[in-house]
Amino acid sequence: MEKGFDNFQKAKAEEERMEGTVKSCPFRTGFHIMPPVGWINDPNGLCQFNGIYHAYFQYSPLNVNGGGGYWGHCTSTDLLHWEYKDPVLTTDIPEDRSGVYSGSALVEDGRMYVFYTGNVKLAGDYDYIDAGRVSTQILVESEDGQHMSGKTKLLGMEDYPEEITQHVRDPKVWKEDGRYYMILGARARAWAEDGKRRDRGAALVYVSDDRKKWEFLRKIDSVKPFGYMWECPDLFELDGEKVLSFCPQGLEAEEERFQNIYQSGFSLLSRDADPEATFREWDMGFDFYAPQSFEAEDGRRILIGWAGMPDTAETYRNLSVKNGWQHCLTIPCELECREGRILRMPVRELFELEWEEVSAEKERYCWAEKTVKLDVRGIGGRQTRIRIGTEENGMTITAEGNKTELSFLDRNGKPAVCGGGRDRRVCRIEEAVENLLILVDSSIVELFVNGGEAVFTTRIYLENEEREIKLSECEKYKLEVI
Ligand code: FRU
């Protein structure tokens, strides 16, 4: 019998058992990748392979609260309509028995090479930092993106630099000048001046000539400590800049920065070798983490993130859980770098859909089961307000000057039910706010400020009858639905 057969059977049985419940959930998304059942986290193995887009993802079909165990799979021809396939990877060798963790795909000569981390957590009294954890980098190959070959171990604990703890994961692999490169997220052992342990996040780069034998090349880290662990690194060229994307854990919150538990951002290494110097957050909303990019066949650099966050407070809830699923991925976005700023806007395919223009009668529109796209222009820094939801239960987006705010709080500072415990996020850009693009796909709102200079991703759980959009002080806008 095929390895992992039982696991795949269990996933399939659960998907079938829950199909009706998940499909009739009012919070299910139209264009955003969501789990067929259970939990989804990081996007993995993003690529375009023989013309078809493949998105894999960290998937826990058997547990709505996560825990992993699988790489889920879906495909698309336009990055918006996704067809769900059977999971492709599960925990079936000793090296990945506690998790088939995140990784990437490299497409070359009609073959897909998938790199991921096999995670092992030993049972016992361990700290799982210096002891009790084994992180192995593994390769599988595929001719069709669905059927995977046997697993080949590439790197194990013995291959990481001395100071690296047992946290080493999330290989992103690319080819450059005839050689292969792999970047890994890591946690390095370090001590503060007072002698106290203070680990430091880092990325490790390996090089290979054959995708199988890898040699350590260098470590990328910051001059001063910048978080204790970096997850999901990604290194790519964008309009002549060298971009390092990564998720530092352990940054201290500042009033208008680093507002979530863990961060996710990018640095322009071509401008400064110290990643902290140019670090900018990818997203200012409540729900964004672990993004991954890939290059489409037409040369576009596309980024998808997880519209979720690990280890959030108990009070921070996703109301789809009662219907057996949790979290989704973001809308795929195109990246562009202009004068040292990265702009992130939904892929052009979104704008090519057949949207129907509607008018907000008395500045109010009910969108119930539709997806909404609202484009507000000519703001010129004037106060602009958009309410999504009802007076009693909703979210308010306010732009004024160079500041944008997204808030679930009412006048008394009480958070709305539809925010599931989320409160308020703000962001300032360099110039005045000129335009806002708001995409509302059932339970996810994505807000793009000034052509993607700042983005807010957040989940919102409104019942169909509460789905209203109300515009105040918006002079020029276009409201469309599909
Ligand atoms: C990020 C992450 C990765 C890991 C994966 C496990 O959210 O913690 O570092 O590979 O999730 O699901």
Side-chain angles (χ1 to χ4, degrees), residues 41-42 58 101-102 169-170 231-232 289-290 306 310:
N41 57 295
D42 314 359
Q58 290 288 296
Y101 271 17
S102 285
R169 57 179 168 268
D170 310 335
E231 293 191 310
C232 302
Y289 196 68
W306 171 29

Side-chain angles (χ1 to χ4, degrees), residues 64-253:
V64 71
N65 292 312
Y70 298 84
W71 267 39
H73 182 208
C74 54
T75 61
S76 173
T77 53
D78 66 358
L79 294 160
L80 300 170
H81 298 86
W82 295 93
E83 193 181 316
Y84 294 91
K85 309 280 186 182
D86 288 339
V88 296
L89 292 176
T90 186
T91 51
D92 53 16
I93 58 167
E95 289 82 358
D96 66 16
R97 66 169 179 270
S98 316
V100 282
Y101 271 17
S102 285
S104 58
L106 173 84
V107 170
E108 198 179 4
D109 300 330
R111 235 180 137 69
M112 191 192 284
Y113 299 87
V114 171
F115 301 84
Y116 73 96
T117 302
N119 183 49
V120 173
K121 274 178 99 173
L122 304 172
D125 184 18
Y126 296 110
D127 66 359
Y128 298 106
I129 299 169
D130 292 322
R133 183 186 291 273
V134 186
S135 301
T136 308
Q137 315 313 323
I138 299 169
L139 166 69
V140 295
E141 299 179 29
S142 180
E143 271 162 24
D144 59 4
Q146 186 62 42
H147 302 93
M148 299 289 161
S149 69
K151 299 175 174 178
T152 307
K153 174 178 164 179
L154 302 176
L155 295 169
M157 297 314 302
E158 62 285 4
D159 301 306
Y160 311 128
E162 169 79 53
E163 73 276 20
I164 300 300
T165 65
Q166 295 179 339
H167 284 280
V168 189
R169 57 179 168 268
D170 310 335
K172 178 83 196 304
V173 174
W174 72 99
K175 192 176 182 185
E176 199 177 313
D177 300 329
R179 303 193 84 188
Y180 303 94
Y181 294 86
M182 176 192 290
I183 188 165
L184 290 164
R187 172 175 182 152
R189 231 169 266 119
W191 288 265
E193 272 172 19
D194 60 9
K196 286 212 185 92
R197 179 82 179 258
R198 190 173 176 199
D199 288 357
R200 297 183 53 165
L204 308 177
V205 183
Y206 285 75
V207 63
S208 168
D209 288 314
D210 62 359
R211 300 180 218 92
K212 296 237 160 96
K213 221 176 130 276
W214 293 86
E215 246 173 72
F216 177 67
L217 187 66
R218 66 191 184 104
K219 181 167 95 176
I220 303 177
D221 64 357
S222 47
V223 173
K224 286 191 271 144
F226 193 60
Y228 60 80
M229 167 75 192
W230 292 0
E231 293 191 310
C232 302
D234 193 353
L235 191 60
F236 54 88
E237 285 265 331
L238 184 69
D239 303 319
E241 302 276 355
K242 214 171 193 58
V243 182
L244 172 69
S245 167
F246 62 108
C247 299
Q249 299 186 319
L251 298 185
E252 239 166 81

Side-chain angles (χ1 to χ4, degrees), residues 317 387 392-395 408-410 414-422:
R317 290 159 304 122
R387 175 91 180 154
E392 302 74 45
N393 192 21
M395 170 179 103
F408 284 102
L409 302 178
D410 68 13
K414 198 168 149 268
V417 172
C418 65
R422 292 159 183 81

